[in-house]
Amino acid sequence: MLKGTFPLEKLKALPTPFYYYNIELLKETLNIVKTEAGKYNYQVHYAVKANANPRILSVIAGSGLGADCVSGGEIEASLKAGFPADKIVFAGVGKADWEIETGLDNDISCFNVESAAELRIINEIAVAKGKVAPIALRINPEVDAHTHAKITTGMKENKFGINLGQLSQVLDILLQMSHVRLTGIHFHIGSQITDLSSFQALAIRSNEIQEELEARGIRVENLNFGGGLGIDYYHPNHLPVATFDNYFAVIHRLLKLREGQQVHFEPGRSIVAQCGSLLSKVLYVKEGETKQFVILDAGFTELIRPAMYDAYHRIENLSSDEAVEVYDVVGPICESSDVFGKEVELNRTRRGDLLALRSAGAYGEVMASQYNCRKLPASCFSDTI
Ligand code: LLP
């Protein structure tokens, strides 16, 4: 069974469970993103929500990318990690007043606004501070992302964004306001999108929207296509870097840019997913009547994606090269959804073996919880271990 490369002896000595990050792979991914985006002068803002581990953030900040934040806490973490304020954008359907203030006080580059109600409050707070808030309107483009229902966002019935039918009305309100300035339009249609035709549809829809805006005499400086590029959860060893080349090329081929316009992206998962693995030890191998269970010391408290989205993560037994057997791999949490995988093929597994749950760098550590009074997972890095 082909496995990832891990410094096994060093990892074995650490208390489990913990996240292990391959910093070389992260840096290689960042280089590819920069090269591919650079071909078209596209700006990339890393979606901090995917992984806000301070070390990971500082490596990404060091590569020159911007940050896409969805909370005041993420803005603070990004500034601390070294992202310059003028490369920070702030999105989210429910920005609290203090979060808007944090954005304004730090002169971030853009507020991605999702409703007229929010626009009014940003304007009000900006008036009080004597500042003008740069705004991009998040538009719901009604493009199907063909992904898991819980991570689809671009359709009309989602809570996100301004519906196409209401855009004109929101523009009327915005153009009356003194302390907000429309600088861009923003889209995000969903996550873990592997069918690039969804991005084709998005580029075409954005051309139509630009025409509508121009009919009203509006030309924006920025077009932001959000995140969503999927990764290969099944083959992390063969395909460790997402298809950034095709992704940017698809948009470039179809998008009709106006003079001086800047294109932005907000990838999260595709930057950090493959560099991270959750490492966990086997507590017990339980022989059932029809199955064998591998019971790990990690559960959905450390990695919630399988329980929450039925997500697949490849599982490898790093300690064994014996013949493959079939197991259900589960965690110790007292809930039947605490299952990492059913009928998983693993090299013969015993108590104490070290297992890796792969492709867990995105929405893994950052979504960990303390349910059952468990401790949050630790992290370690390939270049400092
Ligand atoms: N921009 C916006 C406005 C977003 O809402 C998101 C993700 C991104 C960018 C980054 O998307 P990405 O490139 O990572 O697909 N916890 C779920 C994923 C939730 C994604 C939420 N929004 C999971 O574990 O699959």
Side-chain angles (χ1 to χ4, degrees), residues 286-325:
K286 177 177 163 180
E287 305 283 343
E289 275 179 23
T290 56
K291 293 177 171 225
Q292 320 186 75
F293 294 93
V294 166
I295 302 173
L296 296 181
D297 62 4
F300 71 48
T301 40
E302 285 72 37
L303 179 63
I304 201 168
R305 302 194 68 260
M308 195 159 177
Y309 314 108
D310 300 317
Y312 171 85
H313 285 265
R314 184 181 157 86
I315 306 175
E316 296 169 0
N317 184 340
L318 304 182
S319 305
S320 167
D321 281 323
E322 292 179 51
V324 165
E325 295 192 18

Side-chain angles (χ1 to χ4, degrees), residues 32 44 47-48 55 145 156 219 227 249 276 300 304 361 367:
I32 293 173
V44 178
V48 173
R55 177 78 210 288
K156 207 175 182 170
R219 175 170 298 181
F300 71 48
I304 201 168
M367 290 179 82

Side-chain angles (χ1 to χ4, degrees), residues 243-271:
T243 55
F244 291 104
D245 45 355
N246 293 340
Y247 173 53
F248 294 128
V250 157
I251 299 278
H252 175 74
R253 199 167 58 239
L254 293 166
L255 186 65
K256 295 195 184 111
L257 272 189
R258 305 334 190 227
E259 180 86 30
Q261 278 184 333
Q262 179 69 61
V263 178
H264 302 254
F265 291 88
E266 302 168 345
R269 184 192 317 267
S270 52
I271 293 185

Side-chain angles (χ1 to χ4, degrees), residues 47 49-50 68 91 138 151 186 188 190-192 226-229 266-270 305 309 362-363 367:
K49 65 172 81 64
D68 160 39
R138 172 162 178 186
I151 49 178
H186 173 235
H188 173 75
S191 200
Q192 184 51 18
L229 177 63
E266 302 168 345
R269 184 192 317 267
S270 52
R305 302 194 68 260
Y309 314 108
Y363 307 110
M367 290 179 82

